[in-house]
Amino acid sequence: MTAVQGERVIIVRHAMPAVDPEVPADRWPLAWDSRVAARLLRLHVSHPAYYVSSTELKAAQTMQEIAGAQRVLTDAGLAEVHRPHVWFSDDGYREAALAYAGGSCPSGWEPQAAVIARFDAAVVRHAAAAAAQGRTLIIGTHGLAPTVWMASRYRLDPDPASFWAQLRFPDIVEIDLRTERISCLTH
């Protein structure tokens, strides 16, 4: 894998979306009160920064709340794991997602290797651009895709599935590229 440039990368898991079982998850917007939760994340971010987000609405809206008037780029490589539009109960989704983060691939879900390849290419590309500008890379994304990507490069404690399960809506994860240390900044 190509080295990620810079001193650190900030991964932002989107705030809570307005869930609608009739609409595919990649089209859910933020819930109204989630905009405030996203805005509060500004306190954990050094400005100015290099902002890039998944093309999914909830991630892009979360990043724009954090970035304020600063520009937020979008990149489809940072999207969540592609999966069929099948409505799960909260427990059903959690079970499938935990299995996925643990290495299994439910039927119809994007293979982990494909997620890692596209996510890695996006991170490497944007990290180089951020480093050239002397800015910290801040990525607005989801839970599963960044978890499997981070697990491909770094140690996640105690394991990738448990790491994913501990993420909140919203959440900030810092990757110290010098020490390869992963830490959650908001809990």
Side-chain angles (χ1 to χ4, degrees), residues 129-153:
Q133 296 175 22
R135 296 179 180 225
T136 299
L137 174 59
I138 302 177
I139 299 171
T141 187
H142 308 275
L144 282 175
T147 296
V148 298
W149 172 75
M150 285 185 284
S152 76
R153 282 187 171 259

Side-chain angles (χ1 to χ4, degrees), residues 34-102:
S34 293
R35 291 180 179 276
V36 173
R39 229 172 279 135
L40 290 173
L41 294 180
R42 287 183 193 172
L43 301 172
H44 299 280
V45 175
S46 299
H47 297 280
Y50 180 103
Y51 294 97
V52 63
S53 171
S54 160
T55 54
E56 293 186 30
L57 189 56
K58 58 191 168 272
Q61 288 175 335
T62 298
M63 284 305 293
Q64 198 61 64
E65 291 295 338
I66 295 168
Q70 293 184 63
R71 182 173 178 223
V72 177
L73 302 172
T74 58
D75 190 318
L78 301 170
E80 182 58 295
V81 172
H82 303 298
R83 58 188 187 273
H85 174 57
V86 175
W87 182 249
F88 285 99
S89 66
D90 286 346
D91 289 339
Y93 175 74
R94 183 175 174 77
E95 182 180 314
L98 282 168
Y100 186 88

Side-chain angles (χ1 to χ4, degrees), residues 112-167:
Q112 286 93 340
V115 172
I116 291 165
R118 70 172 166 78
F119 205 93
D120 193 66
V123 172
V124 167
R125 181 173 53 255
H126 292 289
Q133 296 175 22
R135 296 179 180 225
T136 299
L137 174 59
I138 302 177
I139 299 171
T141 187
H142 308 275
L144 282 175
T147 296
V148 298
W149 172 75
M150 285 185 284
S152 76
R153 282 187 171 259
Y154 313 105
R155 177 174 154 61
L156 296 180
D157 286 323
D159 58 74
S162 298
F163 181 88
W164 174 84
Q166 293 172 6
L167 291 174

